[in-house]
Each structure stands twice: as structure tokens, then as C-alpha cells.
Amino acid sequence: HTSRYRMRLFRAITEDPVLEQIRNPPGFLEERARRVDPQILFEWGAASPHPRVPRDHFEVRWRGEIRVPRSGWWRFYVDEDDGCRVRIAEHRVIDSWWRHSRRRIPGEARLTEGWHPIEVDYFDWRGPAVLEIRWGQGDEYPVPVPAEALRVREGEPGVEGTYFARVERLPEGGRDAALERLRSLGVRYIIKPSRSARSFERRLGSRPRLEDRLAIFEVP
């Protein structure tokens, strides 16, 4: 259980393979549709992104390639509600995988001219759904990534989107199977801000180690 961790720790948490399994538990996403989208420029609002996908509690994964017109540092801006992750080649450009209202999240990467793999993951919890990706270089005003800069593969424009519904259900085998899956992950820590850790001290009967205003409990 990680709660209210400081933002500078976010990259380490998201790249931990065990925590990644917790953040994306297997068996809770149900694929509903696939299609090629010309751009990632959506403002669904309260509507569904696809006839077979609910208007809340859904995720989308886009995969393809992006063409960088010239080498250098590129800035990316994602208008999102709720969360999004963007990876280009080996660069994790944006990672804001948590629930929040609409906001613009910036990121940047040094890219060479030419085509690069791009991966975009998005989720909507409830309420208005938005995902719009823009880019620019230097002091350029950010503009939407154009359709001609995206392709599924050579000769096929766009990016392939896989649309999921998040299904709140136990995996096959029921509660016992779910508990066994959690045990197999081997998670042993609770991380809390030190100012709000006293109730955990009482409930767990143990004292945490303190690291930069974080209280880290190791529990059996």
C-alpha cells in the first residue's frame, strides 16, 4: 500500500516490477475493441469512447510509431482526465498514472530525426474523459501531434488502439485465488507520510523507519 508518496519517488515506484503488477492487476481488464485512430486527440466528455466500451472505468493502449522531423529536445504536453503514460523509444516521457481532474502534464525527451516506437496508455475513472497529446520544440507553441507523424507500421497511418473495460471482479478461483496471488507478489511494506503514521504504529504494533519525512513499515 503506497499512499501520498512524494513525487520525486514516483519514477522508482512505477518502475518497480512488483508494484507494476499491483497497479495493473491481471484479469481485471477486459478487452472490448481494437481500431486504428488517426491521432490521439480525444475529448469524449461523458460519452463512451467506443460502442462496446463503458463511458467510465475504461482504459486504452495505443501502439505505433512517431516521426520526429528534426533532432533535438522535444517537449510533449498531455491534456488528460484521468491518467496517462507516454513512452517514446527508451524514454518514459510522461507518467501521471493516478486519478485527477483535467490538467496539462509536460514531459520532454531528446530524440533523433526519424521514426521511433511510441506507447501511450490512458485510463478514465469516472466523469469527463479527455486525452490530447501535443508537442513542440524550443519556444514553439505546442500543437497536436499531426496524423502524418503517426503510423501503425510502414505504409499504414495512425496508431492502433486497444480499448478495455475495467471489470471489478475476482480472478478465476475466487477469493482464495486472489489472496494467493497477493501472497505470491511478496509485498511487505506500507509507506505513509510520517505526519500521518501514528495510527499505523498503533495498529501494526511496530515503529517505522523514517526516510525524508516518509514512514516505511515492514510488515509480516
Side-chain angles (χ1 to χ4, degrees):
H1 169 65
T2 58
S3 174
R4 302 185 188 216
Y5 38 76
R6 295 172 63 83
M7 287 305 302
R8 70 181 186 81
L9 296 177
F10 188 74
R11 182 177 299 276
I13 290 171
T14 57
E15 292 179 352
D16 184 283
V18 173
L19 293 178
E20 183 68 17
Q21 292 184 61
I22 296 173
R23 295 165 74 236
N24 296 282
F28 282 71
L29 290 180
E30 188 175 272
E31 183 178 333
R32 295 289 180 86
R34 291 193 184 197
R35 72 184 182 197
V36 174
D37 294 315
Q39 292 173 276
I40 304 177
L41 198 66
F42 298 101
E43 187 159 355
W44 293 295
S48 167
H50 190 280
R52 294 196 292 272
V53 176
R55 64 183 184 180
D56 290 318
H57 302 292
F58 68 87
E59 293 190 20
V60 190
R61 297 173 184 170
W62 288 278
R63 299 293 184 265
E65 295 182 315
I66 184 170
R67 182 175 62 83
V68 176
R70 55 188 178 272
S71 300
W73 282 97
W74 283 84
R75 295 176 179 172
F76 292 83
Y77 303 86
V78 174
D79 293 336
E80 60 181 31
D81 184 349
D82 286 275
C84 176
R85 295 185 291 218
V86 178
R87 181 184 289 274
I88 299 176
E90 72 278 10
H91 305 286
R92 189 184 290 245
V93 180
I94 289 173
D95 196 331
S96 59
W97 199 255
W98 62 87
R99 285 180 275 170
H100 52 71
S101 57
R102 182 170 184 165
R103 64 188 65 187
R104 175 167 287 188
I105 305 294
E108 64 179 4
R110 188 175 183 85
L111 301 169
T112 57
E113 180 181 350
W115 290 97
H116 301 273
I118 182 172
E119 301 178 357
V120 178
D121 298 324
Y122 167 79
F123 83 90
D124 173 70
W125 182 248
R126 63 167 61 95
V130 176
L131 185 64
E132 298 177 344
I133 299 182
R134 292 173 169 80
W135 67 351
Q137 194 174 34
D139 296 329
E140 294 177 351
Y141 186 79
V143 298
V145 176
E148 58 268 23
L150 296 169
R151 70 182 186 186
V152 177
R153 58 188 64 86
E154 188 173 356
E156 186 175 351
V159 284
E160 184 176 42
T162 306
Y163 290 73
F164 301 87
R166 178 162 287 283
V167 182
E168 299 299 336
R169 67 177 183 217
L170 291 173
E172 184 178 354
R175 179 175 180 275
D176 290 342
L179 290 173
E180 185 58 35
R181 176 174 293 164
L182 288 174
R183 293 189 190 100
S184 70
L185 291 175
V187 180
R188 292 290 182 270
Y189 299 95
I190 298 174
I191 303 173
K192 297 284 291 182
S194 57
R195 65 180 181 277
S196 62
R198 290 185 177 274
S199 63
F200 274 78
E201 287 190 41
R202 292 193 298 268
R203 289 160 59 186
L204 296 173
S206 63
R207 295 183 62 83
R209 70 175 190 269
L210 301 179
E211 293 187 9
D212 191 25
R213 290 180 288 179
L214 289 178
I216 303 176
F217 296 87
E218 184 169 359
V219 296

